[in-house]
Amino acid sequence: MNLTLKIWRQKGSNVKGKLVAYNVADISEHMSFLEMMDVLNEQLVNSGEEPVAFDHDCREGICGSCSMYINGRAHGPDGGITTCQLHMRTFKDGDTIIVEPWRAKAFPVVKDLVVDRSAFDRIQQAGGYISVNTSGNTQDANAIPIPKLNADLAMDAATCIGCGACVAACKNASASLFVAAKVSQYALLPQGQVEANDRVINMVDQMDAEGFGSCTNTGACSAECPKDISLENIARMNREYMRAKAVTK
Amino acid sequence: MSKLDAKIPEGPLKDKWNSYKDKIDLVNPANKRLIDVIVVGTGLAGGSAAATLAELGYNVKAFCYQDSPRRAHSIAAQGGINAAKNYQGDGDSFYRLFYDTVKGGDYRSREANVYRLAEVSTNIIDQCVAQGVPFARDYGGLLDNRSFGGVLVSRTFYAKGQTGQQLLLGAYSAMNRQIARGKIEMHNRHEMLDVVVVDGKARGIIARNLVTGEIERHSAHAVVIASGGYGNVYFLSTNAMGSNATAAWKIHKKGAFFANPCYTQIHPTCIPRSGDYQSKLTLMSESLRNDGRIWVPKNMGDVQAIRDGKKKPTDLTEEERDYYLERRYPAFGNLVPRDVASRAAKERCDAGYGVNKTGEAVYLDFKSAIQRYGKEQAKLLHMPDASPEKITELGEKVVEAKYGNLFQMYEKIVDDNPYKTPMMIYPATHYTMGGVWVDYNLMTTIPGCYAIGEANFSDHGANRLGASALMQGLADGYFVLPYTIGDYLSHDIRTGKIPTNTPEFEQAEREVKEKIEFFMNNKGTKSVDHFHRRLGKIMWNKVGMSRNEKGLKEAIREIKALREEFYKEVSVPGSDQEMNQELEKAGRVADFLELGELFAKDALDRNESCGGHFREESVELAGEQKGEALRDDKNYAYVSAWEYKGEPSEAVLHKEELKYENIELKQRSYK
Ligand SMILES: Cc1cc2nc3c(=O)[nH]c(=O)nc-3n(C[C@H](O)[C@H](O)[C@H](O)COP(=O)(O)OP(=O)(O)OC[C@H]3O[C@@H](n4cnc5c(N)ncnc54)[C@H](O)[C@@H]3O)c2cc1C
Ligand code: SF4
Ligand code: FES
């Protein structure tokens, strides 16, 4: 198929960007979206132009690097997948596809489609861990049985890949779903309960300090999340937060 | 003393690690504050090492090329991690894990290292659970296990099909705790482009800031390389797009020997290639072989009919299917080790039985498992009259709970429902057992420079068993390196900060800059990928699953010629003063073009078949094992460690003889 692409080009964080149109021909429906971008980039290199910068690495939906806003949707028109898992069979010959970076104050553009998501790292550093030394002197793993249901729910929350689609999809650019996923994982497990209050308060405070917007429960985040992280996690985070605030007052 | 002293401690195998650990020189906490350690890479190996070193009190500087340590390639590991916990009571032990690993590696690994790995394996699970890693559990709330290829016990711990992700997020959280305390200085989006050697010791690195293009000098008292494997030398592999050999190759060029480059793992269960545009291959976890049965049609007529779309695989009766692994290897069946399973698939496809258009695919079928689980469930749920449809439905639910995300991944890529029709799979490059040579302390032949994780060669011999890479990465990072490095650093407590304004740093920086300027000013006409793809083709066709003298000699010549063409013709647009992904790729491919040649040279030297390295000249000619790989212990029971001498063709071979005192060398048999 032949396609017209309108891609956001921006030299660096301090310069203005704009959408630039390109044509690509002979795209196979079996290609992934990023393989289609490879074809475009090879075309650009061969004509001496600068290829489009974009983040990607695993190309199988797990590293959370890829992050394109395609035709107005985070990770494109299909649900439950990342950009690298999107295949060209979703599009038709002659389509025009608009490709933009994540847009959020807390995710400044680095170049073209690449944004800076280090705010996510800083939120994790604020408390997204259990304070246990890596000494090997911990107790036997089976000494703490965990009900399967809780273990499974913790796992569901822990599958967040930190891609930032939730922020990009949210009209307020809130990071609540991302933060809630981590808070929930720990809240559902017996390990690390002693620091649960500090954890949730510090992580939420850091989220606010990074300039993410506030959550108004519209649910676009969960709808666009490639890992189907549930909104229940946000409710759980809010409960944890209130409880923590109440006891630490 | 020869340069290849593996420094294996004296004493019985079972006591080596513990008694050695008791004697390692320690650095007192106050002095640790005076010592800096650089860790290149934040995968399972680097992430766990950085966190532990920082926790012990060293000042750590960590580097990764991604925008966050959490995105290292380890994140993609699916199936699980081994540990000799014996929770299932099926007779597992340190010795058995050790034995399986040495046997699985086709007797080409070091006994002492492997035994240590088995011993610390249990600590890993305790550690990870304490960190909040949500491993799968049974209804009693205890940890669940599955079994993996090449072994007869269930010792694999897993977190759905995302074990690597959960373990890495555990290590990442441990890092975050130390980053917050200021003990780890994290450099995301940085690429190490050289190591700096001062007075014979590794004292720092030169790195490029991938956002600004700035070339930076970083000094330390020791440098740890945890940069992963070099499978992308094949262009197509299951590795992440950015996985590369640059850090390992640069230290090789500065004096670190490179061991067994020809030992590569071609994984049997990956999604087949679909076209020339293909950028990478996707693994379908080996855990699927627990429940999936591998087959091709028995009759050529059916193969043709399937390729022409006239028949579907589900149309074939049991009698019309050739479950070739079960046929050839009745004892292990579909759970033979990876190298054996891959070669068997290639054998069938070469004989013309491949089931897709390219002729390079076999089936992985879950029908039997769905039926078996369905019946089990019906019994559990007291439904003696369950209809066949109900049984299938119940069975599919069980399979979904076990492998749902993998099935979904398959469906997204291939657009086919694997619950209803068998998956198509074909072998693909997956893991590199070879890597930087290290001694028992995990130190390379450059004093003060260490290599851990997939980047080193140490524990898997000529073939790695499933779920052992995660185990090794975390063993190295959490439990081995942080102690063995003390032995070296204890001599550095009075050294003081290493200055970066010395001639050694200046020269290393100059060399890095010259190379970058070369690429920016080269007026070539072809993209980096163009060359990478061609290199991959040579590697796959001539240094792939099956190798012979003629092909290897051709490969050596062709890679050298391709390298020369690359330097003449490669084009890198843009500027080096900003983010430039083409420039990043150019540097990596330049290194692959050298490594590929050494790889072929090593494969040529090793005229035996062992593990993932199969030489057509070395097969069993008669008897029950006819046609199977033939190892040659008399002539090749050594580690090949190559010393850099300017060009790959001039590399000098050093041999580390492998001694087996606790295991009897046997021809592997999975029959
Ligand atoms: C799809 C897939 C599934 C797998 N499943 C399993 C499994 O189920 N069980 C199992 O045991 N093993 C599995 N493996 C193997 C295992 O995942 C890897 O061997 C292991 O994760 C490697 O870890 P590592 O820490 O050594 O390196 P990696 O995780 O590869 O990390 C490398 C790090 O080095 C950094 N880096 C590289 N070069 C540079 C440079 N020049 N400068 C700065 N930083 C650099 C990267 O940024 C990254 O942080 C799987 C592998 C694949 C590909
Ligand atoms: S919650 Fe979902 S969308 Fe948000 S970062 Fe995690 S995986 Fe991405
Ligand atoms: S590239 Fe890793 S999730 Fe898309």
Side-chain angles (χ1 to χ4, degrees):
Chain A
M1 57 181 115
N2 300 328
L3 302 163
T4 304
L5 303 167
K6 290 192 175 160
I7 298 179
W8 187 260
R9 303 298 311 255
Q10 182 172 341
K11 264 304 233 178
S13 52
N14 300 323
V15 271
K16 274 179 81 161
K18 62 170 189 296
L19 284 172
V20 179
Y22 301 95
N23 293 312
V24 283
D26 292 331
I27 298 299
S28 150
E29 56 164 11
H30 297 299
M31 278 184 191
S32 70
F33 195 84
L34 296 187
E35 281 166 349
M36 184 277 296
M37 292 293 294
D38 292 342
V39 170
L40 169 70
N41 274 347
E42 181 122 21
Q43 200 170 299
L44 290 173
V45 175
N46 288 342
S47 59
E49 283 176 68
E50 251 198 273
V52 181
F54 60 90
D55 268 326
H56 67 111
D57 205 21
C58 73
R59 293 206 177 185
E60 50 189 61
I62 191 75
C63 72
S65 296
C66 62
S67 42
M68 294 183 190
Y69 203 71
I70 301 165
N71 287 345
R73 291 187 60 188
H75 292 307
D78 266 5
I81 55 168
T82 53
T83 306
C84 60
Q85 292 175 299
L86 178 64
H87 275 70
M88 296 312 291
R89 60 180 84 94
T90 318
F91 299 93
K92 292 190 310 294
D93 187 38
D95 275 359
T96 297
I97 308 174
I98 300 173
V99 192
E100 296 166 273
W102 286 171
R103 303 229 184 250
K105 194 171 100 208
F107 288 164
V109 171
V110 175
K111 185 177 184 180
D112 298 339
L113 304 173
V114 177
V115 299
D116 178 353
R117 288 171 285 193
S118 52
F120 271 12
D121 284 329
R122 289 187 293 272
I123 294 173
Q124 303 280 32
Q125 287 153 20
Y129 49 79
I130 290 175
S131 299
V132 53
N133 279 353
T134 56
S135 58
N137 293 329
T138 44
Q139 60 183 331
D140 183 81
N142 259 350
I144 350 167
I146 301 174
K148 183 168 166 53
L149 178 68
N150 284 0
D152 287 350
L153 284 174
M155 175 66 196
D156 287 346
T159 55
C160 162
I161 57 175
C163 63
C166 44
V167 176
C170 174
K171 64 181 180 358
N172 310 323
S174 163
S176 290
L177 194 62
F178 166 78
V179 180
K182 200 73 201 166
V183 168
S184 280
Q185 177 194 343
Y186 292 130
L188 286 157
L189 297 172
Q191 306 94 308
Q193 281 303 332
V194 284
E195 48 192 345
N197 293 338
D198 288 347
R199 174 180 307 119
V200 64
I201 291 175
N202 291 340
M203 288 180 78
V204 169
D205 287 354
Q206 186 66 34
M207 164 171 78
D208 294 341
E210 294 288 350
F212 290 102
S214 49
C215 174
T216 49
N217 285 314
T218 25
C221 51
S222 182
E224 297 290 54
C225 169
K227 299 295 147 184
D228 296 326
I229 300 292
S230 145
L231 283 177
E232 279 168 32
N233 291 303
I234 297 188
R236 187 177 293 109
M237 171 173 77
N238 290 340
R239 284 198 301 276
E240 289 278 314
Y241 186 78
M242 312 256 254
R243 197 202 57 206
K245 277 290 188 195
V247 294
T248 52
K249 229 177 229 154
Chain B
M1 193 169 56
S2 128
K3 269 186 179 170
L4 270 180
D5 178 3
K7 304 220 172 85
I8 298 168
E10 296 298 322
L13 185 66
K14 288 186 164 61
D15 304 333
K16 281 184 199 291
W17 175 234
N18 282 326
S19 46
Y20 177 63
K21 221 170 35 170
D22 289 342
K23 279 180 235 130
I24 292 178
D25 284 336
L26 295 180
V27 182
N28 90 37
N31 285 332
K32 284 196 186 112
R33 267 180 254 134
L34 307 175
I35 291 183
D36 304 326
V37 182
I38 284 175
V39 180
V40 179
T42 60
L44 285 185
S48 56
T52 309
L53 290 166
E55 193 179 286
L56 288 171
Y58 299 109
N59 307 309
V60 176
K61 291 185 187 176
F63 295 80
C64 71
Y65 70 75
Q66 294 93 343
D67 67 329
S68 164
R70 69 178 291 154
R71 304 202 203 284
H73 165 60
S74 294
I75 200 93
Q78 303 171 349
I81 178 166
N82 290 331
K85 276 284 195 188
N86 194 26
Y87 281 163
Q88 305 304 322
D90 52 5
D92 203 5
S93 63
F94 293 154
Y95 184 82
R96 195 175 282 276
L97 175 52
F98 156 75
Y99 175 84
D100 286 342
T101 307
V102 173
K103 176 186 173 195
D106 219 357
Y107 307 93
R108 288 293 174 268
S109 43
R110 239 185 238 151
E111 280 192 339
N113 283 56
V114 178
Y115 198 84
R116 173 175 69 188
L117 176 65
E119 280 179 293
V120 302
S121 68
T122 54
N123 293 345
I124 297 175
I125 303 304
D126 299 340
Q127 177 65 45
C128 293
V129 167
Q131 278 169 354
V133 170
F135 283 121
R137 288 172 184 270
D138 58 25
Y139 284 96
L142 301 179
L143 293 162
D144 195 19
N145 291 114
R146 48 167 66 140
S147 69
F148 252 53
V151 304
L152 298 171
V153 293
S154 278
R155 63 161 73 99
T156 305
F157 295 78
Y158 65 101
K160 284 212 176 137
Q162 292 111 300
T163 316
Q165 179 194 30
Q166 295 311 316
L167 296 173
L168 183 61
L169 293 182
Y172 166 70
S173 72
M175 279 184 85
N176 280 335
R177 180 168 165 239
Q178 301 304 329
I179 295 172
R181 291 176 58 211
K183 289 303 291 181
I184 297 179
E185 190 183 294
M186 185 64 223
H187 299 267
N188 300 329
R189 292 202 201 268
H190 273 68
E191 183 162 26
M192 164 190 167
L193 293 177
D194 213 347
V195 61
V196 182
V197 179
V198 182
D199 297 331
K201 294 177 176 167
R203 290 301 200 192
I205 63 168
I206 306 295
R208 179 166 181 268
N209 178 325
L210 301 180
V211 176
T212 64
E214 200 180 326
I215 302 299
E216 303 170 353
R217 303 176 188 186
H218 295 273
S219 70
H221 298 86
V223 174
V224 180
I225 301 297
S227 55
Y230 52 88
N232 276 348
V233 68
Y234 286 90
F235 183 66
L236 287 181
S237 83
T238 62
N239 289 6
M241 299 297 288
S243 290
N244 70 90
T246 289
W249 195 250
K250 295 301 194 221
I251 63 169
H252 172 56
K253 292 175 93 162
K254 288 278 168 82
F257 291 1
F258 207 93
N260 302 332
C262 80
Y263 290 164
T264 335
Q265 181 159 82
I266 314 279
H267 195 293
T269 54
C270 303
I271 300 181
R273 233 164 60 92
S274 72
D276 286 335
Y277 48 79
Q278 192 98 27
S279 60
K280 73 155 287 185
L281 295 167
T282 304
L283 175 80
M284 288 283 103
S285 167
E286 167 162 297
S287 59
L288 294 172
R289 284 201 278 145
N290 270 309
D291 284 315
R293 297 174 71 196
I294 296 179
W295 62 277
V296 292
K298 255 186 208 151
N299 309 314
M300 229 26 201
D302 287 334
V303 173
Q304 210 49 56
I306 287 175
R307 283 193 202 165
D308 297 343
K310 289 187 193 127
K311 267 193 180 173
K312 290 204 293 283
T314 41
D315 295 338
L316 268 59
T317 63
E318 285 298 306
E319 288 67 44
E320 291 167 332
R321 302 171 174 203
D322 175 15
Y323 294 96
Y324 57 85
L325 287 176
E326 297 169 28
R327 168 169 60 78
R328 287 180 63 180
Y329 307 101
F332 280 70
N334 293 295
L335 287 175
V336 291
R338 295 175 173 176
D339 54 335
V340 178
S342 289
R343 275 198 299 279
K346 179 173 167 22
E347 189 276 329
R348 283 294 76 195
C349 290
D350 287 353
Y353 291 90
V355 293
N356 68 353
K357 290 222 162 56
T358 63
E360 294 195 330
V362 300
Y363 289 124
L364 176 64
D365 197 330
F366 292 88
K367 195 173 123 217
S368 311
I370 289 174
Q371 292 308 315
R372 193 177 70 239
Y373 286 127
K375 285 180 192 147
E376 216 175 270
Q377 283 296 307
K379 218 173 246 148
L380 276 171
L381 299 169
H382 308 293
M383 298 166 56
D385 308 320
S387 64
E389 292 76 40
K390 188 72 201 172
I391 288 180
T392 304
E393 187 195 315
L394 291 170
E396 283 178 357
K397 277 226 179 80
V398 176
V399 168
E400 188 186 344
K402 288 184 119 163
Y403 312 111
N405 71 315
L406 297 170
F407 277 48
Q408 186 211 20
M409 188 175 334
Y410 181 86
E411 189 163 357
K412 293 279 181 221
I413 294 175
V414 185
D415 202 19
D416 209 5
N417 179 349
Y419 294 98
K420 303 295 175 199
T421 37
M423 285 185 181
M424 283 197 280
I425 52 160
Y426 197 69
T429 302
H430 178 60
Y431 181 87
T432 50
M433 284 75 68
V436 181
W437 186 89
V438 289
D439 63 16
Y440 189 75
N441 290 324
L442 305 181
M443 186 153 89
T444 69
T445 45
I446 304 176
C449 182
Y450 292 76
I452 59 175
E454 193 174 337
N456 75 21
F457 88 107
S458 70
D459 296 350
H460 308 293
N463 175 54
R464 176 175 70 76
L465 290 180
S468 290
L470 302 184
M471 169 172 70
Q472 182 224 331
L474 289 181
D476 287 358
Y478 280 138
F479 301 120
V480 179
L481 174 94
Y483 304 103
T484 58
I485 203 171
D487 199 45
Y488 176 83
L489 291 175
S490 58
H491 304 289
D492 254 335
I493 50 180
R494 281 181 207 89
T495 309
K497 253 212 150 11
I498 308 291
T500 56
N501 58 352
T502 54
E504 290 86 353
F505 272 93
E506 257 155 47
Q507 190 185 337
E509 182 183 299
R510 194 166 52 242
E511 283 169 18
V512 164
K513 284 186 166 160
E514 279 167 9
K515 184 102 184 198
I516 291 174
E517 276 159 27
F518 170 84
F519 284 128
M520 298 316 303
N521 297 326
N522 203 36
K523 293 286 168 268
T525 54
K526 294 188 182 114
S527 71
V528 177
D529 281 353
H530 167 89
F531 292 97
H532 198 178
R533 251 189 231 112
R534 281 170 61 194
L535 172 65
K537 261 209 183 102
I538 301 173
M539 294 299 297
W540 184 248
N541 291 333
K542 298 186 170 161
V543 206
M545 264 188 280
S546 163
R547 304 158 180 179
N548 61 49
E549 182 182 342
K550 179 167 162 285
L552 290 169
K553 286 187 170 155
E554 284 166 12
I556 291 173
R557 267 198 312 278
E558 288 168 22
I559 295 169
K560 186 164 190 286
L562 183 64
R563 192 165 65 234
E564 282 160 11
E565 190 187 331
F566 169 81
Y567 280 106
K568 279 202 202 96
E569 288 296 329
V570 72
S571 149
V572 177
S575 147
D576 60 339
Q577 304 293 316
E578 58 182 43
M579 176 173 275
N580 187 335
Q581 295 173 327
E582 287 298 304
L583 177 62
E584 295 165 28
K585 284 197 277 185
R588 294 170 192 163
V589 171
D591 293 332
F592 280 137
L593 281 164
E594 293 180 10
L595 169 62
E597 188 181 333
L598 184 69
F599 187 136
K601 186 180 160 86
D602 184 47
L604 183 63
D605 172 75
R606 190 168 284 277
N607 190 9
E608 66 159 345
S609 294
C610 61
H613 171 63
F614 184 76
R615 279 290 296 267
E616 288 161 18
E617 295 91 338
S618 187
V619 292
E620 297 275 1
L621 296 173
E624 197 200 0
Q625 299 281 337
K626 187 170 173 213
E628 299 290 327
L630 177 66
R631 220 177 52 230
D632 177 357
D633 294 329
K634 208 166 123 242
N635 294 303
Y636 293 99
Y638 60 77
V639 175
S640 308
W642 297 92
E643 180 181 4
Y644 184 78
K645 288 283 183 192
E647 281 276 308
S649 57
E650 272 143 43
V652 172
L653 176 63
H654 298 259
K655 296 177 183 176
E656 179 198 336
E657 297 300 330
L658 290 168
K659 287 191 209 72
Y660 292 91
E661 289 159 358
N662 300 277
I663 260 188
E664 184 197 349
L665 272 78
K666 278 203 224 136
Q667 198 68 5
R668 273 189 319 169
S669 169
Y670 294 93
K671 293 249 181 211

